[in-house]
Amino acid sequence: MAGRAQSFGTMAEAYERFRPGYPVELFDRVTAYMGSRPRTALEIGAGTGKATRLFARRGVVVTATEPDAAMLAELRKHVPPGVRTLRAAFEDVRPGETYGLVYAAAALHWTDPEGRWSRMAALLEPGGVFACFGGSVRLADPAVDEAVRAARARFLETDEVPSPDGTPPEDEMQWPGTELGRSEWFTDVRQSVIRRRLTMSDADYAGHLSTVSAYLVLPPPEREQVFGRIRQVLPRTVEIVADITVHLARRCHER
């Protein structure tokens, strides 16, 4: 998993081009939970800044952290001038300044679980909110999905990231809500889903796959072969399911 976490920088431009962004509904859901728009926010693993833009363009002063230099350079091309950037992994962000909101967009699973929630709480104002959101992109047509699975089977059994705490996908509460519910640092844990269906060309879907860590860590010859096989079974356009699972929790005042 460490190798997968560090694999994105080589595809920073493709990541920006092919990964879906985040809808305004996500911002509205976070601020409704908070009761007001946060003044400041810290973003963990900001990537190329897709979530950064969502918050910064709505008046939040965002500090975006990202450990990969290439991803951070791409982010700086696209975010508003007021965004502060810091090249750092979550574990290297030193407590000092605190924020009304700390959030992670499809990045929390790459962080070290040891001391994760005490570090998170130390970055939040008392009563501040932690938000985590993301989700896999999958093909909506079961027949096309099965064809792609068969095409990649020789190289990859799955391209998903497993649940960090082993929570089965059929359980009502998913990670990280499971961990937040057990943490002494957080309360009022909520989980919700923003439903999305998008249409992509076969080329753009293949471009999206080129930014997925399971493929990025394959040896280049194998990666080229698997993408070739997948392109052969894709229709000209594909419908994808790109639901966003949102977890929200509040830092306990007494801590």
Side-chain angles (χ1 to χ4, degrees):
M1 291 296 288
R4 290 178 68 168
Q6 298 166 14
S7 66
F8 298 103
T10 58
M11 298 298 290
E13 290 185 9
Y15 195 103
E16 172 58 30
R17 178 180 174 185
F18 296 117
R19 290 275 181 129
Y22 292 97
V24 175
E25 184 182 352
L26 173 61
F27 177 82
D28 294 341
R29 195 162 296 194
V30 173
T31 53
Y33 174 87
M34 297 185 72
S36 63
R37 184 186 67 193
R39 184 180 61 84
T40 61
L42 177 72
E43 182 173 3
I44 298 163
T48 63
K50 290 182 178 290
T52 319
R53 280 164 267 177
L54 177 69
F55 287 88
R57 288 173 178 167
R58 286 160 184 81
V60 182
V61 178
V62 179
T63 298
T65 68
E66 166 58 46
D68 188 285
M71 296 288 274
L72 199 59
E74 188 68 24
L75 175 147
R76 289 172 176 145
K77 297 177 187 177
H78 304 287
V79 298
V83 171
R84 296 185 291 175
T85 60
L86 176 65
R87 185 183 177 189
F90 169 57
E91 295 76 19
D92 298 324
V93 178
R94 298 297 176 223
E97 185 175 0
T98 56
Y99 304 84
L101 172 69
V102 176
Y103 67 91
L108 188 70
H109 52 282
W110 302 125
T111 62
D112 185 352
E114 184 66 32
R116 178 188 283 137
W117 301 117
S118 59
R119 285 195 300 269
M120 198 74 71
L123 296 166
L124 281 166
E125 301 166 357
V129 167
F130 168 70
C132 177
F133 40 87
S136 60
V137 169
R138 58 184 177 83
L139 292 158
D141 187 326
V144 177
D145 186 52
E146 183 54 39
V148 169
R149 288 176 184 272
R152 71 163 187 250
R154 175 181 164 190
F155 307 92
L156 286 173
E157 182 179 348
T158 179
D159 57 10
E160 298 279 351
V161 175
S163 172
D165 69 351
T167 301
E170 64 271 14
D171 280 15
E172 183 176 354
M173 178 61 76
Q174 289 292 301
W175 185 90
T178 47
E179 285 188 9
L180 284 163
R182 296 190 295 265
S183 171
E184 62 182 327
W185 296 95
F186 289 91
T187 187
D188 193 18
V189 179
R190 301 186 196 177
Q191 174 182 286
S192 62
V193 178
I194 298 172
R195 305 290 179 185
R196 291 197 302 179
R197 298 295 184 274
L198 306 173
T199 301
M200 304 174 79
S201 69
D202 58 340
D204 283 357
Y205 181 70
H208 168 78
L209 292 183
S210 76
T211 71
V212 173
S213 61
Y215 298 96
L216 287 172
V217 296
L218 289 173
E222 292 187 14
R223 196 184 318 147
E224 186 175 341
Q225 287 184 61
V226 72
F227 287 145
R229 287 171 178 251
I230 289 172
R231 285 294 300 273
Q232 287 177 1
V233 303
L234 288 174
R236 279 308 224 8
T237 60
V238 296
E239 185 180 6
I240 62 170
V241 179
D243 295 346
I244 303 168
T245 301
V246 184
H247 288 96
L248 296 161
R250 203 175 307 277
R251 187 193 169 195
C252 296
H253 283 276
E254 59 268 23
R255 297 293 304 188

